[in-house]
Amino acid sequence: MKDISIEFPGVKALNNVNFKTETGVSHALIGANGAGKSTLMKVLSGAYNHYTGEIYFDGEKADIRSPKEAKDYGVQIVYQEVDTALIHYLTVAENIMLNEMVDSKEKSTFVKWNFIYKKAQEVLDSMNVKISSKKLVSELSLAEKQMVLIARAISRECRFLILDEPTAPLSNAETEELFRIVNELKQKNVGIIFISHRLPELFEVCDEITVMRNGEFVVKKDIKNTNQNEIVEYMLGRKMDEQFPPKENIVGDKLFEVRNLSDGQMISDVSFHVNAGEIVGLTGLVGGGKTELCKAIFGGTPNVTGERILKGKSLSIKRPYHAVKQGIALVPEERRKEGILVSESVAINISVSNINKFCNTGGFLNFSSEKNEAKKMIESLGIKTPSHETKVQNLSGGNQQKVAIGKWLVTDSEVYIFDEPTKGVDVGAKKDIFELISTLAKAGKAVIYASCELSEILGITDRMYIMYDGDIVKELKTAETNEEEILYYSTGGK
């Protein structure tokens, strides 16, 4: 790719970017949120057609202006936001074989269902993924949906496979399986382009690395000739400070308590508490139940039994509306699906959780008040956006996450629940989020931090509860434990 540039309203996303890779090589593409790496790959995969610059395959110029033209050159992409790329009411097989069914040169009135299910199952089996091809996508976990997307990409012949944050929803075992698939594809002379913020895994699986910053190419290196600290400095344009803020929060009395909470499905008889000014971790492996517990607390699941007690008072929460009214906020794991209104502006997203605050006595929205609050939040959270009127879908992943958090800060809640808040977020934006969470704790709020990232749990929390198979199996003080002990209980250790 030579001199690739592209602009969107109010922002130049790419500025004369050069990128080069080969088949049979795994190539890391990295940069802070908003650096332009996903945009560059969307150009290569045909999602954006209004770019300038040139693309070459084998020295021959290629004019890629649509996804079909990219696929004709053997380019397949697995996007970061899995829920926007899959059709939930169709089966796993239909999603995997979607391109085959649409592009089939055989003009037949009937679908060969046996062939579709068999071929899809063969792809899944080759990946060691234990999912039935006849299952509906709506019944899958986030990690399983990710594997289905990868299966779709490799179900066709491809020369270059682009993986955008592929391991974000995966457990350690599933990540190892993905790496095995990547290595097999390399042996078959497929080029892998790997976008991720998890530097250790890039150094484990990639041969080369390209760094971008602010929409421009910075450097290309062989992995064996660099290290993680150097790459972070290239990404940020400066040396990286200490990532986690010092623990200066003063822990008070019990503020929030959950007693015997069950959701009739995954969560069974769970009890725990959070003190004022305390950051409490919920951790365990993917599928351990932390996301389900967060949703149950927030009223996002029907038929929840048990008690949620705030300041000694039992709360009645049937729906998220009731949770918000009574002082509980949730930043969910799947931000685009559940945490933000992607087609609305930054200002609307900031005001939406506390709309009464921005209404005058007649009940009409005060746009000036909404705009001022949005501008204040953009500045205090460091949200990179051309304007408060910019649609959230045009922001980078890290800035979308800041919007998802910012909308709760105007509600002044008592309990803040963060479910995987740094997923798909660069090291610089992570530091901003940690600072924000620390500030909430210092203000005497109860903070629940749910994450599979053990380094974050150890770096940000005061105490933690470890989940396994829908239950809390162990409570630990952060200062008195380590990754080995957490993993022991996360895998069912007694």
Side-chain angles (χ1 to χ4, degrees), residues 310-376:
L310 180 61
K311 295 181 177 177
K313 179 188 172 188
S314 185
L315 307 179
S316 174
I317 299 175
K318 300 293 184 188
R319 293 183 287 122
Y321 169 81
H322 302 133
V324 175
K325 290 287 282 184
Q326 294 174 92
I328 300 176
L330 169 67
V331 178
E333 179 180 15
E334 298 182 65
R335 60 171 170 258
R336 283 181 69 93
K337 183 182 175 188
E338 300 171 340
I340 48 176
L341 304 170
V342 290
S343 58
E344 301 293 348
S345 69
V346 173
I348 287 174
N349 272 273
I350 293 294
S351 65
V352 74
S353 294
N354 193 11
I355 205 79
N356 288 339
K357 181 178 178 180
F358 305 100
C359 290
N360 56 33
T361 49
F364 294 99
L365 190 62
N366 185 328
F367 292 105
S368 175
S369 172
E370 182 187 56
K371 180 178 85 171
N372 291 337
E373 185 68 38
K375 284 185 171 180
K376 197 194 312 179

Side-chain angles (χ1 to χ4, degrees), residues 124-258:
L124 291 168
D125 290 345
S126 73
M127 295 168 60
N128 282 346
V129 175
K130 305 293 188 285
I131 306 172
S132 167
S133 63
K134 295 185 178 181
K135 199 171 184 179
L136 286 176
V137 163
S138 58
E139 298 171 4
L140 301 182
S141 69
L142 191 59
E144 288 173 331
K145 291 174 188 173
Q146 182 77 331
M147 287 303 193
V148 169
L149 270 182
I150 294 168
R152 180 201 287 174
I154 67 172
S155 67
R156 307 185 78 180
E157 289 297 319
C158 78
R159 298 177 68 195
F160 292 96
L161 176 63
I162 304 163
L163 300 172
D164 191 354
E165 292 289 349
T167 61
L170 303 184
S171 68
N172 290 342
E174 289 161 336
T175 298
E176 286 176 16
E177 197 57 42
L178 174 64
F179 289 172
R180 182 190 65 79
I181 294 163
V182 165
N183 286 322
E184 278 189 9
L185 290 170
K186 278 166 59 179
Q187 298 303 316
K188 295 174 182 174
N189 207 34
V190 174
I192 311 291
I193 302 170
F194 214 108
I195 302 175
S196 176
H197 292 299
R198 295 176 170 179
L199 287 177
E201 68 186 26
L202 294 179
F203 276 76
E204 182 181 338
V205 79
C206 293
D207 306 306
E208 301 173 341
I209 188 164
T210 292
V211 182
M212 294 180 66
R213 186 171 67 244
N214 297 330
E216 297 182 347
F217 169 86
V218 176
V219 71
K220 178 184 175 185
K221 291 237 173 191
D222 287 334
I223 285 283
K224 63 179 183 287
N225 295 332
T226 187
N227 58 59
Q228 293 183 39
N229 288 341
E230 184 181 37
I231 293 301
V232 169
E233 288 175 23
Y234 280 128
M235 282 171 60
L236 301 178
R238 55 181 167 80
K239 289 195 178 293
M240 180 63 187
D241 304 323
E242 182 62 40
Q243 194 168 24
F244 299 105
K247 292 180 180 175
E248 299 169 342
N249 46 313
I250 298 169
V251 177
D253 297 328
K254 187 187 294 182
L255 182 65
F256 181 68
E257 185 177 5
V258 168

